[in-house]
Amino acid sequence: MAEGLRERKKRQTRQYISDVATGLFLDKGFDAVTIAEIAAASDVSVNTVYNYFPAKEDLFFDRSAGVVDLLARYVRGRDPGEPAAAAVLRELRAEVEAVSPRVGLMEGYDRFLKVVHEAHTLRSRLWSIQQESQENLQRALSEETGAADDMPELVAGQICWVHSTLMAWIGREMVQGRTPAEVSREALVLLDDMEGLLSEGVLNYAVRDAA
């Protein structure tokens, strides 16, 4: 269905408030910025900000909804004959090869990480996002395999280890002032190394039936 005028205006207002808040956070730090300051800079009321973002952390991680479902989507979209871990590795390699901002390969990512590092509440929220991502992946594996044992949880943990390790490594390299292209090349090697550490049980788990 086509987006209506009201829905489009709400989406644009939400994005504008988020963009203004992000700029303030990057300039001043997360803890130093108030909701009232964000509202004033966005030319809206404080209540309007809260209507779109119930907590200040929601303004910083405004795209987290897509992140928490990412690995589960990779698994559900895997090719016939492809195991779950292989699908995730394939998608992550594609993002790294494309030097995608979705895996932190962009100029300015170091500033984003600096804000997170300096704010305890953001670090806590990031941990919660990672936990929710793993829970969603575990649920997808359980649904895809029909397994009633612990394997979906164990495999989800291993796959999430690959993703979180990749993101942490890219972040550390970007903070060192390296270019996204440089980091991309070495991140591909890291993915190969991590795949080599995964057991055959993980690598061959949840193979999608051939069409």
Side-chain angles (χ1 to χ4, degrees):
M1 296 178 62
E3 183 181 40
L5 178 61
R6 179 180 174 83
E7 289 74 20
R8 183 168 70 253
K9 286 185 174 180
K10 289 176 65 176
R11 175 176 56 80
Q12 291 172 341
T13 299
R14 185 184 192 281
Q15 187 60 58
Y16 180 68
I17 295 171
S18 173
D19 291 344
V20 170
T22 298
L24 291 171
F25 294 147
L26 292 176
D27 287 341
K28 300 183 177 183
F30 183 77
D31 292 332
V33 178
T34 66
I35 293 294
E37 186 176 358
I38 293 168
S42 304
D43 197 25
V44 298
S45 69
V46 169
N47 284 341
T48 297
V49 175
Y50 278 121
N51 284 339
Y52 287 103
F53 303 96
K56 194 166 74 163
E57 292 78 16
D58 297 327
L59 281 156
F60 192 82
F61 291 116
D62 63 315
R63 294 174 177 84
S64 63
V67 173
V68 297
D69 291 330
L70 184 65
L71 300 181
R73 289 203 308 272
Y74 287 165
V75 167
R76 289 195 170 100
R78 68 195 186 284
D79 297 329
E82 187 175 37
V88 173
L89 286 163
R90 172 174 53 78
E91 293 285 358
L92 291 177
R93 284 192 177 98
E95 294 286 1
V96 172
E97 288 176 347
V99 194
S100 170
R102 286 188 290 269
V103 288
L105 293 170
M106 61 180 178
E107 300 294 341
Y109 189 55
D110 57 324
R111 297 179 64 201
F112 173 89
L113 292 176
K114 182 175 183 291
V115 175
V116 174
H117 178 74
E118 293 175 347
H120 172 73
T121 55
L122 291 182
R123 296 197 304 273
S124 296
R125 175 61 68 88
L126 182 58
W127 181 86
S128 296
I129 290 171
Q130 292 169 340
Q131 291 300 112
E132 187 174 354
S133 176
Q134 182 166 332
E135 290 167 3
N136 287 340
L137 176 57
Q138 178 183 338
R139 188 177 304 110
L141 290 171
S142 296
E143 293 170 355
E144 292 282 317
T145 62
D149 55 18
D150 294 331
M151 283 302 294
E153 180 179 3
L154 297 175
V155 174
Q158 293 293 299
I159 292 175
C160 287
W161 165 75
V162 170
H163 181 247
S164 62
T165 301
L166 172 70
M167 295 301 297
W169 184 88
I170 287 175
R172 287 195 299 270
E173 296 302 308
M174 294 300 294
V175 167
Q176 295 299 317
R178 303 185 64 198
T179 68
E182 289 174 336
V183 176
S184 170
R185 289 192 294 270
E186 294 184 21
L188 291 172
V189 177
L190 178 67
L191 279 170
D192 289 343
D193 290 342
M194 286 192 288
E195 181 175 3
L197 293 173
L198 297 175
S199 71
E200 289 299 314
V202 172
L203 291 172
N204 295 316
Y205 188 75
V207 177
R208 166 149 290 172
D209 292 338

